[in-house]
Amino acid sequence: MTNPALLTVTDLKTSFLTERGPVTAVDGVPFTVRRGETLGIVGESGCGKSVTADSIMRLLDEKDASYSGSVELNGRDLLSLPETEMRRARGSELAMIAQDSMSSLNPVFTIGNQVIEAITVHQKMSQKDAYRLAISLLERTGVPEPEHRMTQYPHELSGGLRQRILIAMALSGNPKLLIADEPTTALDVTTQAQILTLIRALQSSSDMASVLITHDLGVVAEMCDRVIVMYLGQVVEEADVDALFDSPQHPYTRGLLASIPEIDGDRSQPLNVIAGRVPTLHDVPTGCRFAERCDFATDKCRDSAPPLEDVTLETVDMLAGDATPRKVRCWNWRHIPMNTSATTAKAIR
Amino acid sequence: MTPQPLLEVRNLSKSFHGRRSGDAKVMKAVDDVSFDILPGETFGLVGESGCGKSTTGRALLRLIEPDSGSVSFQGQDLLKMPRKQLHSTRRQIQMVFQDPYSSLNPHRRVGVILDEALKIQYRLPRKQRTERVHRILDRVGFAEDYYYRFPHEMSGGQRQRIGVARALIVGPQLIICDEPVSALDVSIQSQVLNMLHDLQVELGLSYLFISHDLSVVRHISHRIAVMQKGRIVEQGPTDEIFSNPQHPYTRQLLDAIPASHPRLARERRTALTTPVS
Ligand SMILES: Nc1ncnc2c1ncn2[C@@H]1O[C@H](COP(=O)(O)OP(=O)(O)OP(=O)(O)O)[C@@H](O)[C@H]1O
Ligand code: SF4
Ligand SMILES: [Mg+2]
């Protein structure tokens, strides 16, 4: 019951001109998002999650950022659209809640001004109709007393309410795809749970797909159908969410999963540590980008870069009931013993 | 017999008044807070933003002057102590802050940063100080040449380890850690948590570990207090709090934690939508 593809990203590369020379922050990223599906993008700070999102939305300043590859939404390549058409697509076909968006509400305008503006940018309608639509959007996103909120200023609202309003604004054009970049990172845990529940409910009442960007694997476990793991601008693993937690293949994914103190984990065991640090974009290794920090690195790893390979894992996948293809960027994934991840044992219990 | 507490906090309170004078609004940031920390123990203080956990940590050291209560450290009330004497007590109680980026002077080399921390507390000849700096760097896992590094040449986790080294170098018995790993990526967060644990085992340190992250607090703490709106609503041994929370707010917090596996997340969602018969 796989739905047709809505968004197909192929070999996306995004480079910036910097004082120290050009850098490629996103380097050959592929993925597909199907209708109604939630794709997670995880990885640590600086791995290129936001640049990927901003590239899909084409929000980067094209004076010093350049794209290659393709980003097809419903078969149309967004990267080659003229800016006027791209502007039309933003909001109505795809919308984004940016990483720092909580502070992007303008402090000097009322919530009403801003929600109505978000609506009328994309849709021709009278102020009266826009007001009515704004109220119904705020109702849909669980904002209590919407009429009153419309008259308030951003600073008068809690972080959770501001995030609901931003979601309402993103939904105003009925997008087919919502990109949410760390939508709950700035929120408290109870508010985060409410916002995640809201996004989930909104999705199940429409066939909206979403791309959820987060560094929090717990959020991935709660929300996502499929996941891509990024490291230094590249996808190192892609899998269904259960498969990723049950049988992470890439040494980086395994390391990441084993580093988290779990709420039901064994407290007497030390946490996993991934030694070393992420190289900078100015000195990207020639071989595997993870080699310096990898316990399984061989000479081949240091010499040549592994491709993102389609893999099928008969035994593990049957256990996890997973038939969908997955991808791994590692020369040695076949030879790495399965029990090297702390989460594995628990998941197969 | 339970050991004598290292730190005894009793009825600690601190209110902030509205900004404008005559503003009747008083915010009780810390409201009648009491707890003990035993030698060699990690005491976790959890709660959501604004619940008063950082203010509590600061009030203990009188970085913020509390309104009332007592804070007895090794039998001496810190709140009644003259400022001068308090200064020397700070050898024994140190702080580690959340932000490894801003809490280290960017213009000083790591060795100098540590040396300055030592100089504030002890009159030691230069040679002895330098030796001690090298020993502490080694102790938190750095090669010798890190002495000459600048903070910006290090990763977030490395900077946070320097923050811990700076606290350790004066030989404290208690370290107040205020969100020490919140700014760090998980793989780096685990380095710092493991190191704090190892140092505790080896040196018998006590920690007050302040954090909003329940999984982290659970991992590192022997006992935990849950704070809400300035008050401790529940405290007890970690495993009891997590397996059998008594206060509704604690339950609410625990329920909000994302699941550690998608299967558990689904199970929980089905449980929530299936009516209990
Ligand atoms: N305008 C720019 N010019 C040059 N480099 C940039 C620019 N924007 C981002 N980068 C670099 O691209 C890389 C990826 O950044 P990105 O913001 O996508 O990271 P991220 O995965 O979203 O991290 P975080 O979890 O911290 O949000 C980083 O090394 C960043 O420094
Ligand atoms: S290719 Fe080699 S270095 Fe890279 S992740 Fe795989 S085993 Fe490790
Ligand atoms: Mg980002």
Side-chain angles (χ1 to χ4, degrees), chain B residues 196-248:
Chain B
L196 287 172
H197 175 261
D198 293 348
L199 289 169
Q200 176 167 65
V201 170
E202 199 171 316
L203 307 173
L205 297 173
S206 299
Y207 299 129
L208 174 63
F209 194 96
I210 298 170
S211 175
H212 71 285
D213 186 328
L214 282 102
S215 308
V216 167
V217 168
R218 173 179 173 274
H219 182 80
I220 196 146
S221 308
H222 300 98
R223 288 186 308 126
I224 287 177
V226 180
M227 256 185 115
Q228 182 194 28
K229 294 182 189 152
R231 303 191 74 108
I232 289 181
V233 296
E234 177 163 7
Q235 63 175 306
T238 304
D239 290 331
E240 274 175 37
I241 297 271
F242 277 82
S243 60
N244 190 16
Q246 296 300 309
H247 196 277

Side-chain angles (χ1 to χ4, degrees), chain A residues 16 18 25 44-51 99 182 281:
Chain A
F16 295 103
T18 73
E44 294 180 278
S45 189
C47 69
K49 305 182 294 294
S50 295
V51 173
Q99 181 163 13
E182 306 272 7
L281 290 173

Side-chain angles (χ1 to χ4, degrees), chain A residues 45-274:
Chain A
S45 189
C47 69
K49 305 182 294 294
S50 295
V51 173
T52 300
D54 294 348
S55 304
I56 294 170
M57 296 293 295
R58 276 189 40 201
L59 290 174
L60 296 165
D61 183 351
E62 293 179 22
K63 273 204 300 293
D64 53 30
S66 60
Y67 312 110
S68 70
S70 68
V71 174
E72 285 183 20
L73 186 71
N74 274 326
R76 196 163 63 138
D77 183 13
L78 299 181
L79 292 187
S80 50
L81 285 188
E83 178 53 33
T84 45
E85 276 183 60
M86 187 63 211
R87 209 173 301 147
R88 216 169 302 144
R90 273 185 221 123
S92 61
E93 289 175 55
L94 75 174
M96 176 153 102
I97 307 167
Q99 181 163 13
D100 51 359
S101 58
M102 294 257 266
S103 54
S104 75
L105 283 171
N106 192 324
V108 303
F109 294 111
T110 61
I111 298 301
N113 286 146
Q114 300 186 58
V115 179
I116 288 173
E117 188 188 287
I119 292 170
T120 50
V121 161
H122 307 294
Q123 300 167 65
K124 277 212 177 71
M125 62 171 78
S126 68
Q127 285 289 310
K128 213 168 146 197
D129 287 342
Y131 180 85
R132 248 183 252 132
L133 179 56
I135 296 287
S136 83
L137 283 168
L138 294 190
E139 276 166 357
R140 254 181 90 196
T141 53
V143 174
E145 308 172 81
E147 285 90 355
H148 175 54
R149 302 299 170 194
M150 294 281 279
T151 66
Q152 288 186 298
Y153 289 90
H155 76 267
E156 298 177 87
L157 305 178
S158 67
L161 270 184
R162 285 206 297 268
Q163 197 59 289
R164 284 178 196 268
I165 282 157
L166 286 160
I167 294 171
M169 285 162 68
L171 295 181
S172 64
N174 271 321
K176 290 272 163 285
L177 177 74
L178 175 70
I179 302 176
D181 190 353
E182 306 272 7
T184 58
T185 305
L187 302 174
D188 276 326
V189 63
T190 50
T191 316
Q192 161 169 290
Q194 290 159 6
I195 295 293
L196 294 180
T197 306
L198 170 68
I199 296 178
R200 184 172 269 293
L202 290 168
Q203 272 193 276
S204 63
S205 65
S206 66
D207 69 343
M208 185 176 73
S210 64
V211 173
L212 181 67
I213 295 176
T214 176
H215 65 280
D216 185 340
L217 283 155
V219 171
V220 171
E222 290 285 342
M223 298 292 289
C224 299
D225 302 309
R226 283 182 78 70
V227 190
I228 61 178
V229 181
M230 288 186 72
Y231 186 79
L232 197 56
Q234 296 186 325
V235 174
V236 294
E237 181 155 6
E238 173 181 340
D240 274 4
V241 69
D242 281 22
L244 190 90
F245 281 79
D246 283 338
S247 56
Q249 292 302 312
H250 196 279
Y252 177 64
T253 315
R254 295 171 184 224
L256 214 51
L257 280 163
S259 303
I260 324 170
E262 290 179 344
I263 204 63
D264 46 3
D266 180 355
R267 301 204 292 129
S268 64
Q269 291 303 309
L271 297 166
N272 179 65
V273 166
I274 302 177

